[in-house]
Amino acid sequence: MISLRCVAFLAAGVAGQDCSGKGVTWGPGIAPPPAGCGSGGSGAPTGAGATCTNPTCSSPPCAAPLLGDVGCTTVSGVETYNHELLSAGQEIASNAHIYGPFEAGFTSQQQSIIENWGCSDASVAYDTEGGTDIGTAESKVSHLCNVELPRIVGNTYYGVVGPCGGHTGDYHFHRSFSCLYSETGGHSTKVGVIAGHNIYGKWEDYDNQRLPLLDACGAHIGPTPESSTAVYHYHAQDKAPFTVGCHGPSASGGLVSVATCRSLYSDCDNDGGSGTTIQTKTGSISYDRFCPCFDAAGSNMGTNIQELPALSSTEIYYTVDSNAGDSNGVSSTSTVRFADTSAASGLTWTFAALLCAALGF
């Protein structure tokens, strides 16, 4: 009996369809297949069978891989919208890759994907250097292509990563993990492990609208659903580095400063500190490619570093006083109130200009 795959292949040949671009111009993580070239993937859950290798850090703090696994998920989730090769309702299996904030770059290999975002001339978005975080890359493409990213049209989500925070056939997360935990109750539940330390959803206490104060690695020390004793653990966050900036804790077992984080990476200031000027939809910024250490102002440059509040606060959270928008970039003006501390007693910031710095919305 002739298999259905064979029938499809023969049909493509009769029609003269060129399917030779699989793995280059189409296929998992690139783009859907041309008509007559099959489905481009299997019906298995995305991430199923993926080999995620969790790094180790025997003498912290350590640099986290700039590209590739910084950790692995421990729970599965269900995608809520169609995005690239994923369909709404498709399972994202556990043990999926967790990556850091950076994209490797965009070239002609991603032409179909970029055009699918709504960019009429994909080449304007090409960036062979890479090393920009997902949020900056998305804002840059949005500016260059004059499109809104991310956006939802019907049941389709358009963005560099999907609504759950990841992409490609060999699914890997860059941010959010929104389909891996529920925004209910108190402390967010565990979504993965990062070099021996757990990572959780973004909330320190959802019911009381408390978000965690985090160090440069993306972690802090406090209780978790698994431990009433304070332990070092990571949280997803809606600003870069989104997942992790480094592997902590500090050498003394405490929080990691921005300066210490930067010292772990040769890519930080490897251009002499001049950085790269990147034009985004909100204006131009100076940016240090492949440097995952972001300060309180949302900058990863080595000049005028504004230390993260976690390093000077005796509290581990701040309270969001009003609706701060969703985790996929739909922004709204918000007020953030830090818990009373000796360093930030009663400090309230109403921020529109500092949204990206404080929450990344």
Side-chain angles (χ1 to χ4, degrees):
M1 179 179 290
I2 299 176
S3 69
L4 292 176
R5 182 177 295 180
C6 179
V7 171
F9 173 78
L10 292 173
V14 169
Q17 175 63 58
D18 179 10
C19 298
S20 61
K22 184 175 182 180
V24 178
T25 60
W26 66 275
I30 303 173
C37 293
S39 65
S42 70
T46 295
T51 302
C52 179
T53 303
N54 218 315
T56 59
C57 176
S58 59
S59 183
C62 305
L66 297 174
L67 299 173
D69 295 334
V70 301
C72 306
T73 63
T74 54
V75 294
S76 62
V78 176
E79 189 58 278
T80 53
Y81 290 93
N82 299 324
H83 178 258
E84 295 178 4
L85 297 178
L86 277 71
S87 299
Q90 186 171 356
E91 180 185 5
I92 300 170
S94 62
N95 197 43
H97 308 278
I98 300 175
Y99 282 14
F102 299 124
E103 269 298 314
F106 302 125
T107 67
S108 58
Q109 194 169 358
Q110 286 79 41
Q111 179 181 347
S112 296
I113 289 178
I114 297 170
E115 289 174 347
N116 185 56
W117 295 337
C119 199
S120 58
D121 179 6
S123 66
V124 303
Y126 292 168
D127 179 0
T128 58
E129 291 184 74
T132 55
D133 66 85
I134 286 291
T136 298
E138 203 163 57
S139 185
K140 178 183 176 183
V141 171
S142 181
H143 165 72
L144 292 172
C145 297
N146 194 29
V147 296
E148 184 66 26
L149 294 177
R151 69 184 188 279
I152 298 171
V153 180
N155 63 351
T156 300
Y157 185 97
Y158 297 91
V160 176
V161 294
C164 196
H167 58 178
T168 83
D170 186 12
Y171 197 91
H172 58 268
F173 288 91
H174 284 285
R175 67 183 180 197
S176 99
F177 309 104
S178 62
C179 68
L180 301 189
Y181 72 100
S182 298
E183 293 191 316
T184 58
H187 195 287
S188 292
T189 55
K190 175 182 172 181
V191 297
V193 175
I194 304 286
H197 296 279
N198 293 341
I199 182 169
Y200 297 82
K202 74 177 187 179
W203 292 100
E204 184 64 27
D205 183 344
Y206 176 79
D207 283 348
N208 291 299
Q209 291 293 283
R210 293 170 177 171
L211 288 168
L213 289 170
L214 303 175
D215 68 4
C217 289
H220 68 172
I221 299 170
T224 70
E226 290 78 23
S227 175
S228 58
T229 302
V231 293
Y232 189 81
H233 64 279
Y234 299 90
H235 280 270
Q237 52 185 315
D238 294 323
K239 61 178 182 177
F242 304 112
T243 56
V244 300
C246 51
H247 289 148
S250 69
S252 62
L255 302 183
V256 179
S257 69
V258 176
T260 297
C261 178
R262 294 182 64 85
S263 70
L264 301 173
Y265 298 94
S266 60
D267 288 275
C268 294
D269 284 340
N270 66 349
D271 56 5
S274 60
T276 301
T277 299
I278 296 178
Q279 188 70 37
T280 72
K281 65 179 180 180
T282 57
S284 62
I285 60 171
S286 295
Y287 196 89
D288 195 353
R289 290 180 184 267
F290 283 115
C291 182
C293 309
F294 294 82
D295 71 7
S299 171
N300 71 341
M301 296 291 290
T303 55
N304 300 318
I305 293 175
Q306 298 183 36
E307 188 54 80
L308 296 163
L311 274 293
S312 59
S313 175
T314 58
E315 294 289 346
I316 63 172
Y317 66 84
Y318 60 96
T319 302
V320 181
D321 287 339
S322 61
N323 181 16
D326 68 25
S327 61
N328 293 317
V330 181
S331 62
S332 62
T333 301
S334 307
T335 301
V336 169
R337 186 182 305 278
F338 283 89
D340 287 346
T341 71
S342 58
S345 179
L347 176 61
T348 301
W349 293 340
T350 299
F351 62 95
L354 291 179
L355 279 176
C356 288
L359 292 173
F361 298 130

